[in-house]
Amino acid sequence: MIFAKSGDVDFIQRVKNLKFSGFVHSTFNRTFNIFCQENSELYTIACGQMDNGPNTIVIEADSFEKLNLEVNDIVYSNHHILYIGDKMAITLERVENWESILPTYPEDLNRLKINLNKMKSYIDIHGKSGGIKKALSQTPFEKEMSNLLEKRTNLLFSELLKNRMSAALQHAVSLIGLGPGLTPSGDDFLVGLFTILNMRHSPFISDHFFCEEVVKKAKDLTNDISFMALKKASAGQVRESIIVLVNSLINGKENELILALKNVLNIGSSSGTDIALGLICGLEVNLFAGGKVCLYKR
């Protein structure tokens, strides 16, 4: 029996209400994913050092390496306990509820402008390359991929600034599945962008349909894990570390911002950097849409 530390409130309620059945979809050292037969979504069980996230429960374990979990192992819930075949039982007896709630877009933009400049400078120096941020040394294939990512993110940014949503939709869709990693760089960039566009009082909130339309076209263009991240982000549901970073951008002092940014940059190989660049894109678009001068030229 393993205790759950914290988890997404909807996931917890689904388990407690005996409405969860499915099978193991994919396994990794610190996480594994479950396909839920009731709603066809992926749910994640994460080790204790991971942060909270949509459809995620964090448990008191350091690794899943020695549990011999296998794809298609049966998963079901019974009496507040989630069973992973005969290999693991996760009790929700003392779990802490967590919910993905984005901050409100600020009225006073001074702190945001200052922190956004600091964030971009930090990424220029410390961001992980290999995705949207170009690596110094690249194979011909990596160079071509990097050029495509740069071109398509710039085109998306340009069309969003001009409020040409049909063209922006096409460029956003062209990013899906593009780039290296389990969650491709283009997908990660869109997760960051969707995060900002879903903030309450966002100047771009009236174009929320944009995120939904991108996701409608994403299912067959990327893998199941990345698609679920996009689907949740399109509704404003993202990992806790991303929410902390957005809060720090709005209200944080420099040390708070850098700590939060480091935590996001440590996601995956280049995923965190790609997400952070998507956040920057979304904030630039918001600043421009709100009648402010755009901070950066691309």
Side-chain angles (χ1 to χ4, degrees):
M1 187 73 70
I2 298 177
F3 284 95
K5 294 174 58 179
S6 59
D8 176 70
V9 62
D10 292 334
F11 189 2
I12 290 170
Q13 289 305 312
R14 183 171 288 275
V15 172
K16 288 184 174 180
N17 293 334
L18 308 180
K19 293 181 179 179
F20 197 99
S21 62
F23 56 85
V24 174
H25 171 276
S26 47
T27 65
F28 305 92
N29 288 342
R30 297 190 299 169
T31 63
F32 65 89
N33 297 305
I34 303 165
F35 180 86
C36 177
Q37 293 175 319
E38 282 76 25
N39 63 4
S40 298
E41 290 197 356
L42 290 186
Y43 290 77
T44 301
I45 305 298
C47 287
Q49 65 266 43
M50 303 291 287
D51 58 329
N52 288 299
N55 285 16
T56 299
I57 287 176
V58 180
I59 68 172
E60 295 178 350
D62 297 324
S63 171
F64 299 128
E65 283 185 278
K66 299 179 180 179
L67 290 175
N68 297 317
L69 297 174
E70 296 180 358
V71 172
N72 293 326
D73 279 346
I74 297 300
V75 178
Y76 63 97
S77 60
N78 188 22
H79 293 98
H80 296 201
I81 298 175
L82 186 68
Y83 292 93
I84 318 298
D86 59 357
K87 300 171 182 177
M88 179 188 295
I90 301 170
T91 176
L92 306 185
E93 182 180 327
R94 58 192 189 196
V95 68
E96 181 180 341
N97 288 335
W98 176 83
E99 189 173 1
S100 177
I101 300 176
L102 293 172
T104 300
Y105 190 76
E107 293 183 8
D108 184 350
L109 299 175
N110 290 329
R111 173 65 63 179
L112 174 60
K113 289 181 179 180
I114 292 170
N115 282 342
L116 195 53
N117 275 315
K118 291 177 180 177
M119 176 173 167
K120 188 161 189 184
S121 296
Y122 190 91
I123 291 173
D124 285 342
I125 300 170
H126 301 287
K128 295 179 182 178
S129 58
I132 292 173
K133 183 180 179 184
K134 291 185 177 182
L136 294 178
S137 177
Q138 294 178 309
T139 66
F141 175 80
E142 290 169 338
K143 185 176 181 180
E144 179 61 24
M145 182 64 70
S146 182
N147 288 338
L148 280 174
L149 285 164
E150 180 180 39
K151 178 182 178 180
R152 293 180 184 183
T153 53
N154 284 341
L155 285 170
L156 171 58
F157 176 70
S158 177
E159 297 301 338
L160 287 173
L161 285 182
K162 297 170 185 174
N163 200 31
R164 298 202 300 216
M165 301 311 294
S166 294
L169 175 61
Q170 294 178 24
H171 294 309
V173 172
S174 77
L175 284 168
I176 298 170
L178 185 66
L182 176 63
T183 54
S185 297
D187 298 16
D188 290 326
F189 181 88
L190 291 173
V191 165
L193 175 63
F194 290 174
T195 300
I196 300 303
L197 299 188
N198 274 280
M199 292 174 66
R200 287 169 292 171
H201 300 163
S202 161
F204 237 68
I205 197 68
S206 60
D207 291 304
H208 179 263
F209 79 93
F210 169 77
C211 304
E212 297 173 352
E213 290 300 313
V214 174
V215 170
K216 284 180 182 179
K217 300 178 183 296
K219 181 65 175 175
D220 297 324
L221 299 176
T222 192
N223 63 71
D224 294 341
I225 296 171
S226 196
F227 172 76
M228 188 53 54
L230 284 168
K231 180 180 178 180
K232 290 300 179 181
S234 73
Q237 298 178 38
V238 293
R239 291 173 63 160
E240 184 176 20
S241 54
I242 299 173
I243 295 173
V244 172
L245 175 55
V246 176
N247 271 310
S248 297
L249 278 162
I250 295 171
N251 300 308
K253 298 179 181 178
E254 183 173 1
N255 62 326
E256 296 169 330
L257 170 68
I258 298 305
L259 177 60
L261 179 55
K262 284 181 178 179
N263 288 335
V264 170
L265 295 182
N266 283 331
I267 296 174
S269 178
S270 66
S271 287
T273 299
D274 297 330
I275 291 169
L277 292 172
L279 293 174
I280 290 173
C281 176
L283 288 168
E284 289 177 340
V285 169
N286 264 349
L287 287 167
F288 188 84
K292 307 301 178 182
V293 176
C294 185
L295 294 181
Y296 311 119
K297 293 183 179 180
R298 292 174 179 246

